[in-house]
Amino acid sequence: MDPMKVTTTHDPQVEADRILQGVWTKIAGVVLIPVDPVRIASELGIDVFSAELGGDVSGAIVKSEDTDATILVNQADSASRRRFTTAHELGHYVAHAQDPDEYKYVDYRGELASQGSDPEEVFANQFAANLLMPEAEVRKWYAKGLGLVEMAFEFRVSQEAMTHRLTNLGIPFGE
Amino acid sequence: MASDAEERIDRLSREIQEGKQPEGARPEAQDDLKWVDYAQDIKLKRRYANGLLTLLAAQIVIANVLVYLYAGIGRSWDVPTGVMQAWLAATVIELIGVVAVVTRYLFPRRS
């Protein structure tokens, strides 16, 4: 299967919505929750492997000239953490969609929480949040009366990630 | 430490791109397909349901218009009893058929 081509506007919400509508709904038929970033990566022609990367590395994306990109995630991390890392690395891929040159991003533990000031990292984080926790779906599930723990479970993300998402969307939630 | 990690990442990604099975790495698992299949099943059923309901609505409109043209305009509502019995019976049978199909789909029999 030929990998799908991606263009970018450098707006993380627009880009995540575009991937959800253009790639995920083609796989799942609808914006199915939980979103599977590994399956989306596969559809885009990106290999995702888990490996022992060292205690301080959460993940990486490597793109060499004339080859497809490869995403590596730390096998020691939890499944929800690896999903977010995969989505974060997909954010780097989308940001460089029109860039044929080689690039490499290695994401170190702790940088996700601090958000950092690097615009590329901020983009990748916001892209990952929008991809795994689409605003419309978060509001829809929240309206059903789910709490933080249930929301995190349904979206297969950590409670920390869901807390950030609900806060950023201005949605009040109980502990 | 960082350089060791980056060297390992470079080696692993190079081996993956060369089609080798990198030592100590494995393809990340994808979510169970049954959820994707389930969503596609719902989408297909929704498409069928919308199409069939559209056809049903069109058929009801056409049938009622034809009855009005025949009975109201063609015969000034002087309609033979047999025709009205047949039309009402056909309408009831059609309704029962639709209800039966819908309920059998919504509540399928389990073995």
mmCIF file of all heavy atoms in Angstrom, chain B residues 87-106:
data_model
loop_
_atom_site.group_PDB
_atom_site.id
_atom_site.type_symbol
_atom_site.label_atom_id
_atom_site.label_comp_id
_atom_site.label_asym_id
_atom_site.label_seq_id
_atom_site.Cartn_x
_atom_site.Cartn_y
_atom_site.Cartn_z
ATOM 1 N N TRP B 87 -56.154 -2.162 -0.223
ATOM 2 C CA TRP B 87 -55.159 -1.106 0.055
ATOM 3 C C TRP B 87 -54.825 -1.039 1.545
ATOM 4 O O TRP B 87 -53.657 -0.958 1.927
ATOM 5 C CB TRP B 87 -55.697 0.249 -0.434
ATOM 6 C CG TRP B 87 -54.669 1.336 -0.322
ATOM 7 C CD1 TRP B 87 -53.547 1.483 -1.073
ATOM 8 C CD2 TRP B 87 -54.678 2.418 0.606
ATOM 9 N NE1 TRP B 87 -52.854 2.586 -0.678
ATOM 10 C CE2 TRP B 87 -53.521 3.187 0.350
ATOM 11 C CE3 TRP B 87 -55.558 2.811 1.618
ATOM 12 C CZ2 TRP B 87 -53.217 4.327 1.066
ATOM 13 C CZ3 TRP B 87 -55.250 3.948 2.339
ATOM 14 C CH2 TRP B 87 -54.089 4.693 2.062
ATOM 15 N N LEU B 88 -55.865 -1.093 2.384
ATOM 16 C CA LEU B 88 -55.621 -1.041 3.825
ATOM 17 C C LEU B 88 -54.848 -2.277 4.294
ATOM 18 O O LEU B 88 -53.929 -2.182 5.111
ATOM 19 C CB LEU B 88 -56.949 -0.940 4.587
ATOM 20 C CG LEU B 88 -57.631 0.424 4.505
ATOM 21 C CD1 LEU B 88 -59.037 0.353 5.102
ATOM 22 C CD2 LEU B 88 -56.815 1.472 5.230
ATOM 23 N N ALA B 89 -55.202 -3.447 3.726
ATOM 24 C CA ALA B 89 -54.496 -4.675 4.114
ATOM 25 C C ALA B 89 -53.019 -4.591 3.718
ATOM 26 O O ALA B 89 -52.123 -4.961 4.497
ATOM 27 C CB ALA B 89 -55.155 -5.881 3.456
ATOM 28 N N ALA B 90 -52.783 -4.097 2.509
ATOM 29 C CA ALA B 90 -51.399 -3.977 2.037
ATOM 30 C C ALA B 90 -50.608 -3.026 2.926
ATOM 31 O O ALA B 90 -49.441 -3.276 3.253
ATOM 32 C CB ALA B 90 -51.387 -3.485 0.590
ATOM 33 N N THR B 91 -51.265 -1.949 3.360
ATOM 34 C CA THR B 91 -50.590 -0.978 4.227
ATOM 35 C C THR B 91 -50.218 -1.598 5.571
ATOM 36 O O THR B 91 -49.105 -1.428 6.070
ATOM 37 C CB THR B 91 -51.512 0.247 4.457
ATOM 38 O OG1 THR B 91 -51.890 0.770 3.194
ATOM 39 C CG2 THR B 91 -50.792 1.322 5.243
ATOM 40 N N VAL B 92 -51.179 -2.359 6.144
ATOM 41 C CA VAL B 92 -50.923 -3.008 7.436
ATOM 42 C C VAL B 92 -49.810 -4.043 7.303
ATOM 43 O O VAL B 92 -48.895 -4.115 8.134
ATOM 44 C CB VAL B 92 -52.218 -3.662 7.972
ATOM 45 C CG1 VAL B 92 -51.907 -4.525 9.191
ATOM 46 C CG2 VAL B 92 -53.237 -2.605 8.328
ATOM 47 N N ILE B 93 -49.860 -4.837 6.236
ATOM 48 C CA ILE B 93 -48.829 -5.872 6.033
ATOM 49 C C ILE B 93 -47.458 -5.223 5.877
ATOM 50 O O ILE B 93 -46.454 -5.695 6.434
ATOM 51 C CB ILE B 93 -49.181 -6.745 4.811
ATOM 52 C CG1 ILE B 93 -50.394 -7.618 5.144
ATOM 53 C CG2 ILE B 93 -47.996 -7.601 4.379
ATOM 54 C CD1 ILE B 93 -51.012 -8.315 3.939
ATOM 55 N N GLU B 94 -47.419 -4.117 5.148
ATOM 56 C CA GLU B 94 -46.150 -3.427 4.946
ATOM 57 C C GLU B 94 -45.590 -2.943 6.278
ATOM 58 O O GLU B 94 -44.411 -3.098 6.577
ATOM 59 C CB GLU B 94 -46.337 -2.243 4.000
ATOM 60 C CG GLU B 94 -45.039 -1.509 3.708
ATOM 61 C CD GLU B 94 -45.237 -0.370 2.724
ATOM 62 O OE1 GLU B 94 -46.391 -0.084 2.372
ATOM 63 O OE2 GLU B 94 -44.245 0.222 2.320
ATOM 64 N N LEU B 95 -46.471 -2.377 7.120
ATOM 65 C CA LEU B 95 -46.045 -1.874 8.421
ATOM 66 C C LEU B 95 -45.523 -3.001 9.298
ATOM 67 O O LEU B 95 -44.456 -2.890 9.920
ATOM 68 C CB LEU B 95 -47.222 -1.178 9.116
ATOM 69 C CG LEU B 95 -46.912 -0.536 10.471
ATOM 70 C CD1 LEU B 95 -45.919 0.603 10.302
ATOM 71 C CD2 LEU B 95 -48.181 -0.018 11.122
ATOM 72 N N ILE B 96 -46.274 -4.120 9.307
ATOM 73 C CA ILE B 96 -45.835 -5.269 10.104
ATOM 74 C C ILE B 96 -44.481 -5.777 9.610
ATOM 75 O O ILE B 96 -43.594 -6.105 10.395
ATOM 76 C CB ILE B 96 -46.892 -6.398 10.054
ATOM 77 C CG1 ILE B 96 -48.156 -5.953 10.807
ATOM 78 C CG2 ILE B 96 -46.346 -7.694 10.645
ATOM 79 C CD1 ILE B 96 -49.341 -6.890 10.617
ATOM 80 N N GLY B 97 -44.309 -5.815 8.309
ATOM 81 C CA GLY B 97 -43.041 -6.267 7.726
ATOM 82 C C GLY B 97 -41.875 -5.397 8.160
ATOM 83 O O GLY B 97 -40.818 -5.903 8.565
ATOM 84 N N VAL B 98 -42.073 -4.081 8.118
ATOM 85 C CA VAL B 98 -41.002 -3.157 8.509
ATOM 86 C C VAL B 98 -40.671 -3.328 9.983
ATOM 87 O O VAL B 98 -39.500 -3.420 10.379
ATOM 88 C CB VAL B 98 -41.408 -1.696 8.203
ATOM 89 C CG1 VAL B 98 -40.420 -0.724 8.831
ATOM 90 C CG2 VAL B 98 -41.477 -1.477 6.699
ATOM 91 N N VAL B 99 -41.717 -3.402 10.817
ATOM 92 C CA VAL B 99 -41.499 -3.576 12.262
ATOM 93 C C VAL B 99 -40.773 -4.889 12.532
ATOM 94 O O VAL B 99 -39.837 -4.951 13.353
ATOM 95 C CB VAL B 99 -42.848 -3.533 13.022
ATOM 96 C CG1 VAL B 99 -42.661 -3.962 14.480
ATOM 97 C CG2 VAL B 99 -43.438 -2.131 12.970
ATOM 98 N N ALA B 100 -41.159 -5.951 11.827
ATOM 99 C CA ALA B 100 -40.526 -7.254 12.033
ATOM 100 C C ALA B 100 -39.043 -7.203 11.663
ATOM 101 O O ALA B 100 -38.185 -7.711 12.399
ATOM 102 C CB ALA B 100 -41.248 -8.320 11.194
ATOM 103 N N VAL B 101 -38.736 -6.594 10.551
ATOM 104 C CA VAL B 101 -37.341 -6.513 10.101
ATOM 105 C C VAL B 101 -36.512 -5.706 11.106
ATOM 106 O O VAL B 101 -35.411 -6.112 11.517
ATOM 107 C CB VAL B 101 -37.258 -5.883 8.700
ATOM 108 C CG1 VAL B 101 -35.817 -5.528 8.346
ATOM 109 C CG2 VAL B 101 -37.837 -6.824 7.659
ATOM 110 N N VAL B 102 -37.055 -4.555 11.521
ATOM 111 C CA VAL B 102 -36.302 -3.686 12.425
ATOM 112 C C VAL B 102 -36.076 -4.360 13.777
ATOM 113 O O VAL B 102 -34.971 -4.356 14.315
ATOM 114 C CB VAL B 102 -37.045 -2.336 12.611
ATOM 115 C CG1 VAL B 102 -36.408 -1.524 13.733
ATOM 116 C CG2 VAL B 102 -37.021 -1.544 11.312
ATOM 117 N N THR B 103 -37.123 -4.960 14.325
ATOM 118 C CA THR B 103 -36.970 -5.573 15.652
ATOM 119 C C THR B 103 -36.080 -6.805 15.600
ATOM 120 O O THR B 103 -35.320 -7.063 16.529
ATOM 121 C CB THR B 103 -38.332 -5.970 16.241
ATOM 122 O OG1 THR B 103 -39.046 -6.734 15.282
ATOM 123 C CG2 THR B 103 -39.134 -4.753 16.630
ATOM 124 N N ARG B 104 -36.109 -7.547 14.508
ATOM 125 C CA ARG B 104 -35.236 -8.713 14.404
ATOM 126 C C ARG B 104 -33.779 -8.286 14.298
ATOM 127 O O ARG B 104 -32.889 -8.988 14.770
ATOM 128 C CB ARG B 104 -35.608 -9.581 13.198
ATOM 129 C CG ARG B 104 -36.835 -10.411 13.439
ATOM 130 C CD ARG B 104 -36.997 -11.483 12.412
ATOM 131 N NE ARG B 104 -35.934 -12.480 12.468
ATOM 132 C CZ ARG B 104 -35.965 -13.634 11.843
ATOM 133 N NH1 ARG B 104 -37.006 -13.938 11.107
ATOM 134 N NH2 ARG B 104 -34.986 -14.482 11.934
ATOM 135 N N TYR B 105 -33.539 -7.120 13.677
ATOM 136 C CA TYR B 105 -32.171 -6.616 13.589
ATOM 137 C C TYR B 105 -31.716 -6.082 14.947
ATOM 138 O O TYR B 105 -30.616 -6.355 15.405
ATOM 139 C CB TYR B 105 -32.071 -5.516 12.523
ATOM 140 C CG TYR B 105 -30.862 -4.644 12.708
ATOM 141 C CD1 TYR B 105 -29.574 -5.150 12.502
ATOM 142 C CD2 TYR B 105 -31.003 -3.329 13.113
ATOM 143 C CE1 TYR B 105 -28.468 -4.359 12.700
ATOM 144 C CE2 TYR B 105 -29.901 -2.534 13.310
ATOM 145 C CZ TYR B 105 -28.628 -3.051 13.100
ATOM 146 O OH TYR B 105 -27.541 -2.262 13.309
ATOM 147 N N LEU B 106 -32.609 -5.329 15.612
ATOM 148 C CA LEU B 106 -32.228 -4.730 16.888
ATOM 149 C C LEU B 106 -32.094 -5.765 17.994
ATOM 150 O O LEU B 106 -31.265 -5.642 18.877
ATOM 151 C CB LEU B 106 -33.261 -3.670 17.299
ATOM 152 C CG LEU B 106 -33.245 -2.368 16.498
ATOM 153 C CD1 LEU B 106 -34.374 -1.460 16.973
ATOM 154 C CD2 LEU B 106 -31.919 -1.645 16.650
#
